[in-house]
Amino acid sequence: MTQHLPPPAPIDFSGDALFLDFDGTLVELADRPDGVIVGERLIATLHALSDRLNGRLALVSGRDIATLDGFGMAGLAIAGSHGAEWRLADGTVSETARPPGMDDARGRFEQFADTHGGVLFEDKPLGAALHYRMSPEWGQECRALAENLAQAHGFHVQHGHEMVELRRAGVDKGVAIADILKRAPFAGHRPVFLGDDVTDEAGFEQVARSGGHGVLIGTMRATAATFRLPDVSSVNEWLHHSLKGGPED
Ligand SMILES: [Mg+2]
């Protein structure tokens, strides 16, 4: 991949609506989903940015909203579970019931994790995931099991960083961003979305359609993003620099 993408300009506090992936974008990936470290400075920065943007900041994550709230994100707008649920800063909520068949899939995933060392099962309110970062030799079998269950129940299979997840078909981060962009205080503003994973491409495509731009986090690859930052620490610096250096409004 030879294409070069420049770093984004600082946040425009009067015009931008900021959408932020969480894992691998704001915090470093961890071997276990509950192993991420969420620093006090990041929490304070996100809340300050949301205030400066008059509420036009939303986390857009594969994690569920309750988990992110537990990381100090309560009070922020959040699209959780890959877009299957969202909540705005004023408390407005859109939630979807757990899809039928998910209990069966959860049981099969849990059984697989119990019998394959190093594979972790993650139960989610609206989905289920297997993590094989600690035992990549089981990755192919994890993916095959997910594909079988998806076919049986009509789920969407989401492949991530050494993990595979089942969730309801028809929702993704792009759909969630589009839905949030229709509502106050986001409507009429330019969406900027930062993300690292293949699951974030739907978000990059959506913000481009809505007149905004995507920012790829990490090494260069084929992407719908038009800007790039190399890693989590550069994202944190960009957020912090925007907050300190942005024009007064
Ligand atoms: Mg991510």
Side-chain angles (χ1 to χ4, degrees):
M1 201 71 53
T2 54
Q3 186 190 3
H4 172 76
L5 295 180
I11 297 162
D12 170 2
F13 285 102
S14 61
D16 286 352
L18 192 59
F19 295 89
L20 301 167
D21 171 51
F22 188 72
D23 295 84
T25 295
L26 297 177
V27 300
E28 301 286 356
L29 297 172
D31 284 340
R32 305 175 58 96
D34 58 359
V36 294
I37 296 164
V38 186
E40 289 298 324
R41 183 171 110 144
L42 173 63
I43 295 169
T45 299
L46 291 174
H47 283 87
L49 285 168
S50 179
D51 288 346
R52 282 287 298 278
L53 287 161
N54 293 320
R56 300 187 313 275
L57 178 149
L59 302 179
V60 185
S61 177
R63 293 182 185 266
D64 59 86
I65 291 172
T67 300
L68 289 166
D69 279 353
F71 287 145
M73 305 303 159
L76 298 178
I78 298 175
S81 306
H82 291 290
E85 54 170 359
W86 54 254
R87 178 199 66 209
L88 302 186
D90 68 1
T92 308
V93 174
S94 158
E95 266 189 80
T96 312
R98 190 176 178 88
M102 193 54 78
D103 287 338
D104 174 51
R106 178 171 59 175
R108 298 281 301 277
F109 268 14
E110 193 163 19
Q111 186 183 31
F112 186 91
D114 284 347
T115 52
H116 294 76
V119 176
L120 295 175
F121 164 68
E122 183 185 10
D123 189 21
K124 299 182 156 210
L126 302 168
L130 287 175
H131 296 260
Y132 49 90
R133 181 179 299 273
M134 292 187 290
S135 52
E137 67 273 22
W138 296 120
Q140 196 176 343
E141 285 190 49
C142 289
R143 295 191 294 272
L145 174 60
E147 295 287 352
N148 286 340
L149 290 168
Q151 268 196 339
H153 296 294
F155 296 141
H156 177 75
V157 181
Q158 187 71 64
H159 297 282
H161 284 299
E162 294 172 289
M163 64 93 78
V164 64
E165 177 169 347
L166 291 172
R167 55 184 171 81
R168 186 164 67 88
V171 294
D172 60 31
K173 290 185 174 184
V175 171
I177 289 171
D179 206 6
I180 290 174
L181 269 175
K182 290 181 200 152
R183 295 156 202 276
F186 293 84
H189 291 81
R190 184 183 68 154
V192 177
F193 175 50
L194 278 66
D196 67 305
D197 206 343
V198 287
T199 62
D200 297 315
E201 291 296 330
F204 296 149
E205 289 165 15
Q206 181 57 51
V207 294
R209 280 194 293 272
S210 301
H213 58 254
V215 182
L216 173 67
I217 311 309
T219 53
M220 191 57 207
R221 61 155 194 255
T223 181
T226 50
F227 295 89
R228 186 177 75 89
L229 289 167
D231 50 30
V232 167
S233 64
S234 61
V235 171
N236 277 265
E237 282 311 305
W238 179 77
L239 294 174
H240 209 65
H241 175 258
S242 292
L243 193 58
K244 287 200 305 185
E248 297 301 316
D249 58 5

